[in-house]
Amino acid sequence: MTFLAIHQSARLSGAQSEILKDGLLEAKRAELKNYMELAYTAIRDIYEDPELAVDVAQRLVTDAFHRMEYGSDGYFFVYDYDGLNIVHPRLEHLVGQDLWNFRDEDGKFLIQRLIEQAQEGGGFTEYRWDKPSGGESVLKLSYSIALEKWGWMVGTGLYLDDIEQVVGQMEHHMVENARRTILLMAFFTVSCLLVIAVIGLAVNLSEARVANRRLVTMAQKTFSFLEKERRRISRELHDGINQLLVSARFKLERIDDALGRGDHVDASSALAATDRILERGIQDLRRLAYDLRPSVLDDLGLVAALESLCSDLVERKPLRIHFESNLDSGECQPVLATALYRITQESLHNIEKHAGNVSQVRVRLRRRRGWVYLEIADDGEGFSWRAEQSHEQGGAGMGLRNIQDRVDLLGGRLTIEAAPGKGVRILIKVPFQRATGTSRERVDGRAYTRTFGGRPSAGAGGAALPAGGAAGH
């Protein structure tokens, strides 16, 4: 591919732009529905309370919608089925006006359309509206639902002017990245030519091509790991902690409203619910921090971290784990320790999720000379497996592919032995990477063993584990 072709390929095609815009628009739709669900949750107890007088309930709901805001331009508006405005926090002069025949800039009957969508069970409407933070008319997407009992339409909307901006920014970044890539490629090309001119026939071109392909593959896998982790963290923050905080905010508003009404019972109930929401948020945040980098790996080393994984699993699932290691955690390089920890974590997760009625698990971590051997075996349900599956597209699950990628990055080898009803045995062999500052040659030490989740006596537990030893593989 020429430098010009690389530069041109960095620009988004029309189809790519549409796909990106559709994805961003779908995200906006999901966000709007989420805000509406949270808002309805905040007023549901009032709206569905049969003991409240209708005028009192409507006043409380109106006050609640008037206070609900999110971001710099997010708010809720309310109309009755005749087009009379009941709530509009940003344009309060509209309250009480009959806007049934109101048309937007494109000449469409906007309020009628919003009411129709609400009466059909809830739906989306696109139109142009003045953006409060910008002052100019931009495209807006609204979602409206019906409070059928009162003949009300409730809606909220998000502005879409940022979608074109995001697409433009992405194209700009891709062009800039392509430009830098061109310069780097030119630099490395010249450097390689100079090296080839100096060393001549001493370089084996065939081996160089193979090495370059391996480097590219390893770099792609590294970037893939980073992107997967970023997406996971983004989902955790958006779908978990963010939603809990929004829910807690609405609960606090309910407490404020209850205290204003002198209803201490309702305030106490909402306060307890808020406490539960915040406690769950704290637990989710701790779990996310632990997943990013478990403190036990840094504080106590690899062996203690693997023991912690085993201990956690037997607390969640009734099984027995036999753990064995002769590795000195202090001599293990952090990159190797992290990879072995993640591989074990992924393997135990697969056992918990897919092994079925498993009773025994073996985890063996052994060092022999310049290699580290990790064996993880279980007596669960197993599955059909052929050695060539690991090289076929889609031949392994996501968990096994992650393990394979980590082993490849370490320059090691992965072997999987599995069959239906005979459990699964994972064998990993990777080069030992000594930590900086530890120069003494290690003599293979005495094995340390420990059993989790049952008595360590022989014969306890279920069926025998798959035979074999990691160190001898």
Side-chain angles (χ1 to χ4, degrees), residues 39-40 42-48 52 54-68 76 78 86-87 147 150 152 154 257 261:
Y40 182 76
I43 61 97
R44 180 174 54 193
D45 292 345
I46 301 173
Y47 176 67
E48 297 180 358
L52 276 178
V54 174
D55 57 339
V56 174
Q58 288 179 342
R59 185 177 69 256
L60 293 175
V61 170
T62 299
D63 293 341
F65 279 127
H66 194 274
R67 293 193 305 271
M68 290 183 192
F76 293 86
V78 181
I86 299 173
V87 176
L147 298 182
W150 295 346
W152 283 10
V154 180
D257 180 69
R261 293 183 281 107

Side-chain angles (χ1 to χ4, degrees), residues 308-357:
S308 176
L309 289 176
C310 296
S311 177
D312 289 344
L313 178 56
V314 299
E315 289 180 3
R316 298 191 302 268
K317 194 174 182 69
L319 51 78
R320 189 176 70 170
I321 301 179
H322 179 75
F323 177 82
E324 179 180 340
S325 172
N326 73 339
L327 190 68
D328 186 348
S329 297
E331 292 187 340
C332 189
Q333 194 176 85
V335 173
L336 175 61
T338 300
L340 293 174
Y341 176 87
R342 293 302 187 192
I343 290 171
T344 306
Q345 184 183 45
E346 185 71 43
S347 300
L348 294 181
H349 173 75
N350 287 343
I351 291 173
E352 179 181 10
K353 188 175 181 181
H354 303 294
N357 190 23

Side-chain angles (χ1 to χ4, degrees), residues 119 145 157 163 183 228 242 255 281 298 300 376 389 405 408 451 454 463:
Q119 292 175 328
I145 65 170
I163 291 182
L183 294 176
K228 289 177 183 176
N242 178 63
I255 293 171
D298 295 323
L300 301 179
I376 303 170
Q389 280 184 252
D405 289 344
D408 290 344
T451 300

Side-chain angles (χ1 to χ4, degrees), residues 352-379:
E352 179 181 10
K353 188 175 181 181
H354 303 294
N357 190 23
V358 58
S359 61
Q360 294 193 81
V361 176
R362 179 172 61 243
V363 179
R364 299 181 65 192
L365 180 67
R366 309 279 295 187
R367 178 189 166 194
R368 178 172 293 180
R369 304 304 178 188
W371 296 90
V372 175
Y373 300 84
L374 175 63
E375 175 191 18
I376 303 170
D378 68 77
D379 64 350

Side-chain angles (χ1 to χ4, degrees), residues 190-203:
V190 173
S191 300
C192 290
L193 289 175
L194 290 175
V195 172
I196 292 173
V198 172
I199 61 177
L201 296 177
V203 178

Side-chain angles (χ1 to χ4, degrees), residues 421-439:
K422 296 184 178 181
V424 179
R425 183 166 172 247
I426 295 177
L427 303 171
I428 294 163
K429 175 183 177 182
V430 295
F432 178 71
Q433 300 175 10
R434 187 184 300 278
T436 305
T438 57
S439 58

Side-chain angles (χ1 to χ4, degrees), residues 293-302 305 334 338:
R293 181 66 182 182
S295 59
V296 67
L297 192 60
D298 295 323
D299 298 339
L300 301 179
L302 175 62
T338 300

